Each structure stands twice: as structure tokens, then as C-alpha cells.
Amino acid sequence: MSDDRAPLASVGAPVGYYTRELHRRVAHYWRVRRHGYPDHGSLETAADEIISRRADGGFRSGGHFRGLWPRDLCFSATGLLESGFCEELHAAVEWLLARYDGTFFTDVQSDYAAAVPSSGVDTFPALVIVLDAVDELENHASHVETLAVHHRDRFFDEETGLVSGHGSGWWDSAADPRTAYNTAMVLAALERMADAGIESAYTASRERIRAAWIGRLWTGEYFAEHADSTVLACDANVVPLYFGLLESSRARSVATALRTLETGRGIVLRERPFSIREVHPFFALHRDYHYHVWPWNSFVYAIGLARYGFLERANQEVERVERTLERYGTFLESYTLEGEPYVKRGYAAAGDFTVAAALWTQFRSRGGR
């Protein structure tokens, strides 16, 4: 990773950002069509090689995602630590923090930071969670307090008590804010800050946020993705399971609801694809992109199930995904319900996907499978 510590500029105008993103994605699509995905022979070998190689490069995400995503690093952290890369993980989060200039970047490189025009709503909680994982949260208390102020100013809805800003989330293709996911991520961060004794702009509102999250988004069986939808979606529900944000009865209800999304190849991310109205125009050709099976989502789901005692179901979910991935010998970003990598109309899912390899390692290291 570069030692250059100069502040990075935002990508600026939306047109410039999306032009660059389109070029990046199409170029990757043609490379995959021509060369396919790397086959490491086994998932054990794939996980070792992917994580080791990415440790040398600062844990970039993989495929056409050339930079480091704070969100991905957050969900990778435990698996990376289990793989013995504590120093490298610590260096990665320090590198990210050094590049914060008031914009919540979603994909950070040494020469630029790709922030969608509204920037990344989950970057602040992700950085808090990674700092906690490497036991550096208290040492960066002032930095975290500054992040919290900017995040609240930009993304918090004072009227509803929810975190509803646009920007990178579990699904960057969605036109509407992923309110349940955004709020759950902030609650996970605030729990860690409270345990560390760190006060912030959010401290006095923590219980209000939790009450709004349950009161406004709980359907009686699961969390709705946002206030105007009752669609069952993984980002709103697997994240609270993974971080242990739910009491046992509500967790059981969520687990029961999510069972309906399970398929023979893993859980799908949403009970139906987005409509044209629900998707960002940049993803108009890929409305089903966030509908298929995403291995890293499946592993988050399995870890959450195991946390609440549903170990048999957790093992079944991981086994379904493993059977599919073993055909390719790598960790894919996503694949279709037929078990084929998502490669269509100019977009190809990433291979050698770091966060999927790390989460699989986390699950295996904690007694799963």
C-alpha cells in the first residue's frame, strides 16, 4: 500500500464518477469473458491465497474493485484476524483514517477515492467496527468523534430517528436509502463506542435510534428494508443477526422469516428483484444484480444464525454455497440461482472476493462445518 498520505479529492461531478465506473466494469466484464475466473483448486487454498495476497496489497476487495472498501474491511476483520493478519489489518485501517477529509469514501485507492456523489453512509460505522476489532478504538476516540459529527449531519434523520441517507450500502443499486441496514450498522458501532466509553454526537440518541429502528421498521416478523416497503431483504436482517443486535425472540422471528429466501444454492438477497423505479439508473440493465446468491451475504447470514444457536441451519447454508463455489475454486462476489457467476450485459461479478474468503474463514474458525 502506498505511503502517500496526501488528502484525496472527491471524484467530483456525478458524470465523471459514473463514466469511470462504467469503464471499469465493462473492462472487467471482457476480461472475465475472455479468461474466466482463477481456479485455486479448493476453497481452503483459495482462502489462503486470496487473503495472503490481499494482505500484501492492503486488503483491496477483488475483481474490478481495485481499492479498499471500509464496509468490506469491517465484515472481513474477524476472518483476517483469525488468519493471523492483525498487523496488516491495523495498517489498513490507519491508512483509511489518514485519508478521511470530510467525505465518506466507499472505495479508496492510493491515487483517488471513489465516493458516490452522496458518499458512503456505512463508512463511519464500518471504521468504528474495524478499530474495535484491532483494539484501537479508544486510541482514536477523537477521530471517531469527528466522524460521528459529520455522519450525523449528513445521514441522520432527526424527525424519524433513523439513518436514512443515500450512498454505499449493502446494495448500491437501490434508488431508496437502505434505512434498516444503515441504522443497524450505526447501532453496531454505537454499542462498541459505548463499551469503550467514547462519547459522540450520537451518544444521547442511541436509545432513541434503537426505538425508532424497531418501532418504525419492525413488521412483526422481520425488519422492512425502509419505511415505504415491507419486502423481506437480507441487508435489513442478516446484519442485526451477525452483530447480535437482537434479543432471542426477535432473532428467532428473523431467522424464521429468512428461511423463505433460502434456495438450494444459498439464500437470495431479496424476495424479488428491484423494479425499474426502485433501482438506480446506473443499474437499469442489472435490476436482478442484487437478487441472486451472494456468498459473502450467505456467510454473514450463517455466522448470525450460529450466534443465536441455529448451528445446523448455519452449516446447511454454508454447505450449499461451498458446493457451488467448489466448481470454480474461488470465492465469487455473486452467482445466479443456477450456480453460474453473474456475468451479463457488461457486468461480471468479481472473483477472488476478499470479504467472502474472510467470512468463510471466520465461520470455519468458530466451529462451523
Side-chain angles (χ1 to χ4, degrees):
M1 188 172 285
S2 170
D3 290 329
D4 174 24
R5 297 278 173 160
L8 296 176
S10 171
V11 295
V15 172
Y17 170 77
Y18 288 116
T19 298
R20 183 167 59 195
E21 287 298 288
L22 180 61
H23 178 270
R24 183 180 77 172
R25 294 179 184 196
V26 172
H28 177 254
Y29 169 80
W30 285 113
R31 284 196 300 273
V32 168
R33 289 292 299 268
R34 183 172 182 177
H35 301 292
Y37 290 95
D39 185 342
H40 300 281
S42 70
L43 294 184
E44 288 83 359
T45 301
D48 288 344
E49 291 189 3
I50 292 167
I51 293 173
S52 296
R53 186 168 72 253
R54 296 287 153 69
D56 292 337
F59 297 121
R60 61 189 178 86
S61 295
H64 61 290
F65 301 106
R66 298 173 299 175
L68 174 57
W69 286 54
R71 179 203 64 194
D72 286 12
L73 194 66
C74 155
F75 286 98
S76 300
T78 301
L80 300 178
L81 292 173
E82 295 288 352
S83 299
F85 292 103
C86 181
E87 290 185 9
E88 292 83 353
L89 180 59
H90 182 277
V93 72
E94 291 281 353
W95 185 81
L96 284 171
L97 287 170
R99 278 153 176 76
Y100 175 74
D101 70 350
T103 302
F104 291 98
F105 298 119
T106 63
D107 181 5
V108 184
Q109 300 186 34
S110 59
D111 55 343
Y112 82 94
V116 293
S118 52
S119 74
V121 66
D122 53 4
T123 297
F124 156 64
L127 289 172
V128 169
I129 292 164
V130 179
L131 282 169
D132 182 66
V134 296
D135 201 26
E136 284 290 328
L137 189 51
E138 293 181 55
N139 292 337
H140 288 278
S142 61
H143 209 147
V144 167
E145 290 164 5
T146 300
L147 289 169
V149 169
H150 291 169
H151 188 275
R152 179 162 186 154
D153 287 346
R154 188 172 191 108
F155 299 116
F156 186 62
D157 188 325
E158 296 287 351
E159 181 178 344
T160 66
L162 298 170
V163 182
S164 59
H166 287 81
S168 173
W170 203 262
W171 289 320
D172 53 359
S173 64
D176 293 318
R178 310 304 299 172
T179 310
Y181 163 76
N182 296 343
T183 305
M185 287 291 289
V186 166
L187 285 171
L190 294 181
E191 284 196 353
R192 286 155 177 75
M193 291 166 63
D195 290 343
I198 297 175
E199 300 285 327
S200 77
Y202 274 121
T203 299
S205 301
R206 179 183 168 202
E207 292 306 316
R208 180 192 171 210
I209 294 170
R210 183 174 180 84
W213 177 55
I214 294 172
R216 292 177 177 269
L217 298 175
W218 180 250
T219 67
E221 299 178 26
Y222 56 87
F223 287 96
E225 51 191 355
H226 53 79
D228 297 323
S229 172
T230 57
V231 172
L232 176 59
C234 278
D235 66 334
N237 293 282
V238 300
V239 170
L241 289 178
Y242 179 81
F243 287 120
L245 299 178
L246 307 174
E247 73 279 7
S248 59
S249 62
R250 208 179 299 271
R252 189 178 308 110
S253 181
V254 166
T256 299
L258 288 172
R259 186 189 287 275
T260 65
L261 300 186
E262 294 177 4
T263 75
R265 298 191 185 279
I267 190 170
V268 294
L269 266 72
R270 196 171 187 265
E271 63 181 298
R272 61 175 180 266
F274 289 121
S275 68
I276 285 290
R277 185 194 66 79
E278 294 173 318
V279 76
H280 190 287
F282 191 64
F283 288 85
L285 297 178
H286 304 284
R287 291 187 294 112
D288 61 346
Y289 171 57
H290 285 110
Y291 168 71
H292 296 293
V293 179
W294 287 54
W296 76 280
N297 172 76
S298 288
F299 300 146
V300 170
Y301 176 45
I303 292 166
L305 288 174
R307 173 189 284 274
Y308 286 98
F310 302 105
L311 185 57
E312 182 178 355
R313 282 184 56 193
N315 283 328
Q316 289 171 350
E317 175 67 12
V318 172
E319 183 179 3
R320 288 189 286 260
V321 176
E322 285 176 341
R323 282 200 306 267
T324 303
L325 292 180
E326 283 166 354
R327 294 165 47 193
Y328 303 101
T330 190
F331 286 89
L332 296 168
E333 176 193 7
S334 63
Y335 55 79
T336 67
L337 301 184
E338 293 72 39
E340 301 292 334
Y342 187 93
V343 180
K344 61 191 295 188
R345 294 192 290 266
Y347 184 86
D352 279 8
F353 208 47
T354 308
V355 63
L359 283 160
W360 181 78
T361 300
Q362 176 184 349
F363 183 80
R364 302 265 293 197
S365 70
R366 299 298 173 88
R369 288 283 287 149

